[in-house]
PDB file of all heavy atoms in Angstrom:
ATOM      1  N   ARG A 495     -34.889  64.867 150.722  1.00  0.00           N
ATOM      2  CA  ARG A 495     -36.061  65.722 150.869  1.00  0.00           C
ATOM      3  C   ARG A 495     -36.997  65.496 149.700  1.00  0.00           C
ATOM      4  O   ARG A 495     -36.551  65.245 148.578  1.00  0.00           O
ATOM      5  CB  ARG A 495     -35.628  67.181 150.929  1.00  0.00           C
ATOM      6  CG  ARG A 495     -34.766  67.459 152.128  1.00  0.00           C
ATOM      7  CD  ARG A 495     -34.382  68.922 152.283  1.00  0.00           C
ATOM      8  NE  ARG A 495     -34.708  69.783 151.195  1.00  0.00           N
ATOM      9  CZ  ARG A 495     -33.872  70.652 150.664  1.00  0.00           C
ATOM     10  NH1 ARG A 495     -32.640  70.739 151.097  1.00  0.00           N
ATOM     11  NH2 ARG A 495     -34.247  71.438 149.678  1.00  0.00           N
ATOM     12  N   GLY A 503     -36.387  62.881 139.907  1.00  0.00           N
ATOM     13  CA  GLY A 503     -37.266  62.051 139.087  1.00  0.00           C
ATOM     14  C   GLY A 503     -37.679  62.764 137.818  1.00  0.00           C
ATOM     15  O   GLY A 503     -37.715  62.179 136.741  1.00  0.00           O
ATOM     16  N   GLY A 506     -34.999  62.692 135.326  1.00  0.00           N
ATOM     17  CA  GLY A 506     -34.579  61.368 134.901  1.00  0.00           C
ATOM     18  C   GLY A 506     -33.282  60.920 135.533  1.00  0.00           C
ATOM     19  O   GLY A 506     -32.548  60.111 134.988  1.00  0.00           O
ATOM     20  N   VAL A 512     -22.929  59.950 147.677  1.00  0.00           N
ATOM     21  CA  VAL A 512     -21.818  60.892 147.601  1.00  0.00           C
ATOM     22  C   VAL A 512     -20.949  60.648 148.820  1.00  0.00           C
ATOM     23  O   VAL A 512     -21.443  60.668 149.939  1.00  0.00           O
ATOM     24  CB  VAL A 512     -22.325  62.350 147.592  1.00  0.00           C
ATOM     25  CG1 VAL A 512     -21.164  63.316 147.574  1.00  0.00           C
ATOM     26  CG2 VAL A 512     -23.240  62.572 146.412  1.00  0.00           C
ATOM     27  N   ASP A 516     -13.522  65.099 152.261  1.00  0.00           N
ATOM     28  CA  ASP A 516     -12.232  64.800 152.867  1.00  0.00           C
ATOM     29  C   ASP A 516     -12.035  65.754 154.043  1.00  0.00           C
ATOM     30  O   ASP A 516     -11.996  66.974 153.863  1.00  0.00           O
ATOM     31  CB  ASP A 516     -11.124  64.980 151.829  1.00  0.00           C
ATOM     32  CG  ASP A 516      -9.756  64.561 152.340  1.00  0.00           C
ATOM     33  OD1 ASP A 516      -9.593  64.387 153.559  1.00  0.00           O
ATOM     34  OD2 ASP A 516      -8.862  64.404 151.499  1.00  0.00           O
ATOM     35  N   ASP A 520     -11.732  70.004 154.243  1.00  0.00           N
ATOM     36  CA  ASP A 520     -13.008  70.630 154.551  1.00  0.00           C
ATOM     37  C   ASP A 520     -12.808  72.064 155.038  1.00  0.00           C
ATOM     38  O   ASP A 520     -12.212  72.294 156.079  1.00  0.00           O
ATOM     39  CB  ASP A 520     -13.754  69.812 155.611  1.00  0.00           C
ATOM     40  CG  ASP A 520     -15.180  70.274 155.790  1.00  0.00           C
ATOM     41  OD1 ASP A 520     -15.771  70.758 154.814  1.00  0.00           O
ATOM     42  OD2 ASP A 520     -15.697  70.152 156.912  1.00  0.00           O
ATOM     43  N   ARG A 529      -7.989  83.567 157.847  1.00  0.00           N
ATOM     44  CA  ARG A 529      -6.714  83.741 158.542  1.00  0.00           C
ATOM     45  C   ARG A 529      -5.772  84.719 157.861  1.00  0.00           C
ATOM     46  O   ARG A 529      -4.852  85.231 158.491  1.00  0.00           O
ATOM     47  CB  ARG A 529      -6.023  82.386 158.687  1.00  0.00           C
ATOM     48  CG  ARG A 529      -6.766  81.464 159.612  1.00  0.00           C
ATOM     49  CD  ARG A 529      -6.109  80.111 159.672  1.00  0.00           C
ATOM     50  NE  ARG A 529      -6.882  79.222 160.533  1.00  0.00           N
ATOM     51  CZ  ARG A 529      -6.731  77.922 160.572  1.00  0.00           C
ATOM     52  NH1 ARG A 529      -5.842  77.333 159.788  1.00  0.00           N
ATOM     53  NH2 ARG A 529      -7.465  77.189 161.377  1.00  0.00           N
ATOM     54  N   LEU A 532      -8.758  88.413 156.363  1.00  0.00           N
ATOM     55  CA  LEU A 532      -9.665  89.046 157.317  1.00  0.00           C
ATOM     56  C   LEU A 532      -9.119  89.150 158.736  1.00  0.00           C
ATOM     57  O   LEU A 532      -9.661  89.908 159.541  1.00  0.00           O
ATOM     58  CB  LEU A 532     -11.001  88.282 157.340  1.00  0.00           C
ATOM     59  CG  LEU A 532     -11.707  88.179 155.996  1.00  0.00           C
ATOM     60  CD1 LEU A 532     -12.955  87.329 156.126  1.00  0.00           C
ATOM     61  CD2 LEU A 532     -12.035  89.550 155.447  1.00  0.00           C
ATOM     62  N   ARG A 536     -11.222  95.117 160.613  1.00  0.00           N
ATOM     63  CA  ARG A 536     -12.628  95.470 160.820  1.00  0.00           C
ATOM     64  C   ARG A 536     -13.048  96.365 159.662  1.00  0.00           C
ATOM     65  O   ARG A 536     -12.277  97.175 159.171  1.00  0.00           O
ATOM     66  CB  ARG A 536     -12.819  96.210 162.133  1.00  0.00           C
ATOM     67  CG  ARG A 536     -12.402  95.399 163.336  1.00  0.00           C
ATOM     68  CD  ARG A 536     -13.405  95.573 164.443  1.00  0.00           C
ATOM     69  NE  ARG A 536     -12.968  94.854 165.621  1.00  0.00           N
ATOM     70  CZ  ARG A 536     -13.441  93.675 165.979  1.00  0.00           C
ATOM     71  NH1 ARG A 536     -14.344  93.095 165.241  1.00  0.00           N
ATOM     72  NH2 ARG A 536     -13.018  93.085 167.057  1.00  0.00           N
ATOM     73  N   ALA A 545     -14.103  95.876 148.680  1.00  0.00           N
ATOM     74  CA  ALA A 545     -12.936  96.524 148.064  1.00  0.00           C
ATOM     75  C   ALA A 545     -11.648  95.882 148.574  1.00  0.00           C
ATOM     76  O   ALA A 545     -10.725  95.619 147.794  1.00  0.00           O
ATOM     77  CB  ALA A 545     -12.951  98.022 148.342  1.00  0.00           C
ATOM     78  N   ARG A 548     -11.261  92.301 147.124  1.00  0.00           N
ATOM     79  CA  ARG A 548     -10.874  92.369 145.718  1.00  0.00           C
ATOM     80  C   ARG A 548      -9.381  92.664 145.592  1.00  0.00           C
ATOM     81  O   ARG A 548      -8.653  91.987 144.858  1.00  0.00           O
ATOM     82  CB  ARG A 548     -11.699  93.437 145.006  1.00  0.00           C
ATOM     83  CG  ARG A 548     -11.604  93.412 143.505  1.00  0.00           C
ATOM     84  CD  ARG A 548     -12.547  94.424 142.843  1.00  0.00           C
ATOM     85  NE  ARG A 548     -13.928  94.229 143.247  1.00  0.00           N
ATOM     86  CZ  ARG A 548     -14.626  95.054 144.043  1.00  0.00           C
ATOM     87  NH1 ARG A 548     -14.081  96.156 144.523  1.00  0.00           N
ATOM     88  NH2 ARG A 548     -15.877  94.796 144.348  1.00  0.00           N
ATOM     89  N   LEU A 552      -6.377  89.904 144.308  1.00  0.00           N
ATOM     90  CA  LEU A 552      -5.538  90.175 143.127  1.00  0.00           C
ATOM     91  C   LEU A 552      -4.064  90.332 143.468  1.00  0.00           C
ATOM     92  O   LEU A 552      -3.199  89.913 142.694  1.00  0.00           O
ATOM     93  CB  LEU A 552      -6.037  91.425 142.413  1.00  0.00           C
ATOM     94  CG  LEU A 552      -7.430  91.311 141.777  1.00  0.00           C
ATOM     95  CD1 LEU A 552      -7.893  92.663 141.268  1.00  0.00           C
ATOM     96  CD2 LEU A 552      -7.454  90.268 140.690  1.00  0.00           C
ATOM     97  N   THR A 553      -3.754  90.926 144.630  1.00  0.00           N
ATOM     98  CA  THR A 553      -2.356  91.225 144.949  1.00  0.00           C
ATOM     99  C   THR A 553      -1.692  90.184 145.834  1.00  0.00           C
ATOM    100  O   THR A 553      -0.469  90.096 145.858  1.00  0.00           O
ATOM    101  CB  THR A 553      -2.233  92.594 145.628  1.00  0.00           C
ATOM    102  OG1 THR A 553      -2.996  92.581 146.846  1.00  0.00           O
ATOM    103  CG2 THR A 553      -2.727  93.704 144.718  1.00  0.00           C
ATOM    104  N   VAL A 554      -2.475  89.393 146.559  1.00  0.00           N
ATOM    105  CA  VAL A 554      -1.893  88.406 147.474  1.00  0.00           C
ATOM    106  C   VAL A 554      -2.288  86.984 147.063  1.00  0.00           C
ATOM    107  O   VAL A 554      -1.437  86.175 146.706  1.00  0.00           O
ATOM    108  CB  VAL A 554      -2.323  88.680 148.937  1.00  0.00           C
ATOM    109  CG1 VAL A 554      -1.779  87.613 149.862  1.00  0.00           C
ATOM    110  CG2 VAL A 554      -1.871  90.060 149.377  1.00  0.00           C
ATOM    111  N   ALA A 555      -3.568  86.676 147.134  1.00  0.00           N
ATOM    112  CA  ALA A 555      -4.019  85.296 146.928  1.00  0.00           C
ATOM    113  C   ALA A 555      -3.691  84.776 145.535  1.00  0.00           C
ATOM    114  O   ALA A 555      -3.251  83.629 145.396  1.00  0.00           O
ATOM    115  CB  ALA A 555      -5.520  85.190 147.191  1.00  0.00           C
ATOM    116  N   ARG A 558       0.424  84.096 145.093  1.00  0.00           N
ATOM    117  CA  ARG A 558       1.164  83.116 145.879  1.00  0.00           C
ATOM    118  C   ARG A 558       1.290  81.812 145.094  1.00  0.00           C
ATOM    119  O   ARG A 558       0.567  81.584 144.146  1.00  0.00           O
ATOM    120  CB  ARG A 558       0.475  82.858 147.210  1.00  0.00           C
ATOM    121  CG  ARG A 558      -0.694  81.882 147.068  1.00  0.00           C
ATOM    122  CD  ARG A 558      -1.669  81.947 148.195  1.00  0.00           C
ATOM    123  NE  ARG A 558      -2.655  80.914 148.277  1.00  0.00           N
ATOM    124  CZ  ARG A 558      -3.495  80.492 147.341  1.00  0.00           C
ATOM    125  NH1 ARG A 558      -3.443  80.995 146.133  1.00  0.00           N
ATOM    126  NH2 ARG A 558      -4.386  79.570 147.567  1.00  0.00           N
ATOM    127  N   HIS A 564       0.981  73.994 142.865  1.00  0.00           N
ATOM    128  CA  HIS A 564       2.371  74.459 142.836  1.00  0.00           C
ATOM    129  C   HIS A 564       2.601  75.501 141.744  1.00  0.00           C
ATOM    130  O   HIS A 564       3.659  75.550 141.122  1.00  0.00           O
ATOM    131  CB  HIS A 564       3.348  73.286 142.687  1.00  0.00           C
ATOM    132  CG  HIS A 564       3.159  72.254 143.745  1.00  0.00           C
ATOM    133  ND1 HIS A 564       3.471  72.472 145.070  1.00  0.00           N
ATOM    134  CD2 HIS A 564       2.633  71.001 143.686  1.00  0.00           C
ATOM    135  CE1 HIS A 564       3.173  71.403 145.776  1.00  0.00           C
ATOM    136  NE2 HIS A 564       2.650  70.494 144.963  1.00  0.00           N
ATOM    137  N   ARG A 566       1.138  79.766 140.528  1.00  0.00           N
ATOM    138  CA  ARG A 566       0.356  80.940 140.913  1.00  0.00           C
ATOM    139  C   ARG A 566      -1.041  80.837 140.308  1.00  0.00           C
ATOM    140  O   ARG A 566      -1.185  80.556 139.118  1.00  0.00           O
ATOM    141  CB  ARG A 566       1.027  82.218 140.404  1.00  0.00           C
ATOM    142  CG  ARG A 566       2.319  82.545 141.104  1.00  0.00           C
ATOM    143  CD  ARG A 566       2.981  83.796 140.559  1.00  0.00           C
ATOM    144  NE  ARG A 566       2.003  84.723 140.027  1.00  0.00           N
ATOM    145  CZ  ARG A 566       2.251  85.629 139.098  1.00  0.00           C
ATOM    146  NH1 ARG A 566       3.443  85.734 138.584  1.00  0.00           N
ATOM    147  NH2 ARG A 566       1.312  86.429 138.659  1.00  0.00           N
ATOM    148  N   PRO A 578     -17.498  83.849 130.486  1.00  0.00           N
ATOM    149  CA  PRO A 578     -18.050  84.676 131.559  1.00  0.00           C
ATOM    150  C   PRO A 578     -19.382  84.112 132.047  1.00  0.00           C
ATOM    151  O   PRO A 578     -20.147  83.532 131.283  1.00  0.00           O
ATOM    152  CB  PRO A 578     -18.259  86.040 130.902  1.00  0.00           C
ATOM    153  CG  PRO A 578     -17.463  86.007 129.653  1.00  0.00           C
ATOM    154  CD  PRO A 578     -17.329  84.571 129.249  1.00  0.00           C
ATOM    155  N   HIS A 582     -22.870  88.889 136.961  1.00  0.00           N
ATOM    156  CA  HIS A 582     -22.602  88.733 138.390  1.00  0.00           C
ATOM    157  C   HIS A 582     -21.225  89.282 138.717  1.00  0.00           C
ATOM    158  O   HIS A 582     -20.240  88.925 138.088  1.00  0.00           O
ATOM    159  CB  HIS A 582     -22.683  87.258 138.774  1.00  0.00           C
ATOM    160  CG  HIS A 582     -22.658  87.042 140.242  1.00  0.00           C
ATOM    161  ND1 HIS A 582     -21.489  86.951 140.945  1.00  0.00           N
ATOM    162  CD2 HIS A 582     -23.655  86.921 141.138  1.00  0.00           C
ATOM    163  CE1 HIS A 582     -21.753  86.769 142.215  1.00  0.00           C
ATOM    164  NE2 HIS A 582     -23.070  86.741 142.355  1.00  0.00           N
ATOM    165  N   VAL A 584     -17.724  89.773 140.660  1.00  0.00           N
ATOM    166  CA  VAL A 584     -16.813  88.863 141.337  1.00  0.00           C
ATOM    167  C   VAL A 584     -16.434  89.428 142.703  1.00  0.00           C
ATOM    168  O   VAL A 584     -16.288  90.626 142.870  1.00  0.00           O
ATOM    169  CB  VAL A 584     -15.548  88.665 140.481  1.00  0.00           C
ATOM    170  CG1 VAL A 584     -14.560  87.737 141.165  1.00  0.00           C
ATOM    171  CG2 VAL A 584     -15.938  88.118 139.120  1.00  0.00           C
ATOM    172  N   VAL A 590     -28.669  90.152 153.002  1.00  0.00           N
ATOM    173  CA  VAL A 590     -30.062  89.844 152.729  1.00  0.00           C
ATOM    174  C   VAL A 590     -30.826  89.895 154.040  1.00  0.00           C
ATOM    175  O   VAL A 590     -30.425  89.299 155.026  1.00  0.00           O
ATOM    176  CB  VAL A 590     -30.192  88.439 152.083  1.00  0.00           C
ATOM    177  CG1 VAL A 590     -31.645  88.117 151.819  1.00  0.00           C
ATOM    178  CG2 VAL A 590     -29.382  88.387 150.809  1.00  0.00           C
ATOM    179  N   ARG A 591     -31.914  90.609 154.032  1.00  0.00           N
ATOM    180  CA  ARG A 591     -32.731  90.695 155.249  1.00  0.00           C
ATOM    181  C   ARG A 591     -33.958  89.875 155.110  1.00  0.00           C
ATOM    182  O   ARG A 591     -34.521  89.678 154.125  1.00  0.00           O
ATOM    183  CB  ARG A 591     -33.123  92.135 155.517  1.00  0.00           C
ATOM    184  CG  ARG A 591     -31.892  92.960 155.835  1.00  0.00           C
ATOM    185  CD  ARG A 591     -32.313  94.386 156.096  1.00  0.00           C
ATOM    186  NE  ARG A 591     -31.112  95.187 156.174  1.00  0.00           N
ATOM    187  CZ  ARG A 591     -30.808  95.906 157.234  1.00  0.00           C
ATOM    188  NH1 ARG A 591     -31.595  95.950 158.266  1.00  0.00           N
ATOM    189  NH2 ARG A 591     -29.714  96.599 157.248  1.00  0.00           N
TER     190      ARG A 591
END
Side-chain angles (χ1 to χ4, degrees):
R495 297 184 351 227
V512 177
D516 185 346
D520 190 30
R529 293 177 182 165
L532 303 176
R536 300 222 183 259
R548 192 175 304 109
L552 294 172
T553 60
V554 177
R558 81 200 191 308
H564 305 291
R566 291 179 29 205
H582 190 274
V584 179
V590 179
R591 294 180 189 238

